[in-house]
Amino acid sequence: MASSSSDDFSVMVLASDLGIDARPFLSHSPQPPEEDNWHDCPSYLPSADDQNLDFSDLDALQFLRLERGSDKAGNRILRVVGKYFPAPVITGERLKKYVFHKISTEVPDGPFCIVYMHSTVQKEDNSPGITILRWIYEELPNDYKDRLQVVYFIHPGLRSRLVFATLGRFLLSGGLYWKIKYVSRLQYLWQDIKKGEVEIPEFVKEHDDILEHRPLTDYGIEPDPLHLMEVPSTAYSLGRYEAEWASRECRS
């Protein structure tokens, strides 16, 4: 279409459903350059509100607490009992703030380790999910990551071993994959931590005894809930049935 005006003009077509204001594109008035503001900040800093949060209900659960002792390398011990963690009622955001609060207030400096007890953990009831755990670890300041020396993973199940063995290098960042040390029995824990340096719940000791007597449980075979394998009546039952069959043959 020809234009009656001799002035040059241009046409810019914008998609209406994007909701973009076209005036900045059509205006030729010069805009002052924006200044770049660079801030070198850690990924997370506890705010005043975070420091004033009440975590007394989580402290009462005792799923994360600082032990009085240290491992043989001199690292302070943060004990984590998975069975005590009520995953369905605690959000990932609150868990992150609680973890940061515990580290910043109870282990503000110096190296530390984590003793994680996976005994009898149920995925639906006690596991926040590896995605949330990875997110929490990645949000930790670099100083916290550097001071974490080792994670003692007590009683890892078959599922945990397979997940970490196949996907651990991709799911666990910041060198965490190389800091995990699997401890299948409590007797192996004492090689790195003296007895009495960390409190072991009674149910963890009982689970350790079950694993000691049923080593195939480590490979995904559940222990017999009815303790049928402990009843020494198998031979007697077979003998009783054989005698009954023999008496039937005599009568026939």
Side-chain angles (χ1 to χ4, degrees):
M1 178 183 295
S3 174
S4 59
S5 174
S6 61
D7 296 337
D8 295 336
F9 70 95
S10 61
V11 177
M12 179 172 291
V13 180
L14 300 175
S16 59
D17 57 344
L18 298 179
I20 300 177
D21 187 1
R23 288 174 294 179
F25 296 97
L26 301 178
S27 175
H28 296 285
S29 59
Q31 298 293 333
E34 295 183 358
E35 296 182 358
D36 294 334
N37 295 323
W38 296 89
H39 303 279
D40 186 10
C41 298
S43 58
Y44 177 84
L45 286 176
S47 63
D49 294 337
D50 293 343
Q51 296 176 356
N52 295 328
L53 289 176
D54 182 17
F55 294 114
S56 58
D57 56 333
L58 300 185
D59 287 334
L61 296 175
Q62 296 289 299
F63 71 86
L64 173 61
R65 80 177 194 185
L66 179 67
E67 296 292 300
R68 296 181 178 180
S70 305
D71 66 3
K72 293 183 178 180
N75 304 313
R76 298 295 305 276
I77 299 175
L78 276 176
R79 190 193 73 170
V80 179
V81 182
K83 187 66 175 180
Y84 292 164
F85 178 70
V89 297
I90 299 180
T91 64
E93 181 66 28
R94 189 159 191 252
L95 176 60
K96 182 187 75 171
K97 292 182 178 181
Y98 181 61
V99 170
F100 285 23
H101 168 75
K102 296 290 284 187
I103 297 178
S104 62
T105 58
E106 300 187 4
V107 197
D109 51 34
F112 67 96
C113 65
I114 293 177
V115 176
Y116 170 63
M117 303 179 186
H118 192 65
S119 318
T120 69
V121 164
Q122 301 296 323
K123 179 180 179 182
E124 296 79 8
D125 300 329
N126 312 121
S127 176
I130 192 171
T131 304
I132 292 180
L133 295 178
R134 176 190 179 186
W135 168 62
I136 293 176
Y137 182 78
E138 289 181 345
E139 290 290 313
L140 285 174
N142 291 330
D143 173 62
Y144 290 12
K145 297 178 184 178
D146 295 338
R147 292 194 293 114
L148 174 59
Q149 301 300 307
V150 60
V151 178
Y152 299 101
F153 196 125
I154 301 178
H155 295 154
L158 179 63
R159 182 191 300 270
S160 301
R161 287 180 179 271
L162 291 176
V163 169
F164 288 129
T166 56
L167 304 175
R169 299 185 184 183
F170 304 98
L171 298 177
L172 304 178
S173 60
L176 181 59
Y177 174 80
W178 304 106
K179 296 181 179 181
I180 297 178
K181 183 173 184 178
Y182 297 107
V183 183
S184 58
R185 300 290 186 276
L186 290 177
Q187 61 177 331
Y188 303 133
L189 181 66
W190 310 139
Q191 298 176 1
D192 298 291
I193 302 177
K194 293 182 179 179
K195 289 186 177 181
E197 296 294 304
V198 57
E199 182 179 349
I200 306 296
E202 193 63 30
F203 79 90
V204 176
K205 298 178 182 178
E206 294 175 356
H207 185 70
D208 193 75
D209 291 337
I210 292 176
L211 296 179
E212 186 67 24
H213 292 88
R214 302 177 184 279
L216 292 180
T217 306
D218 287 335
Y219 301 96
I221 301 178
E222 297 294 333
D224 185 9
L226 300 178
H227 304 286
L228 296 179
M229 298 298 295
E230 298 178 359
V231 179
S233 60
T234 305
Y236 170 75
S237 300
L238 292 177
R240 182 184 60 184
Y241 292 135
E242 289 177 354
E244 183 177 353
W245 294 333
S247 62
R248 290 180 179 177
E249 291 177 358
C250 292
R251 288 197 301 267
S252 61

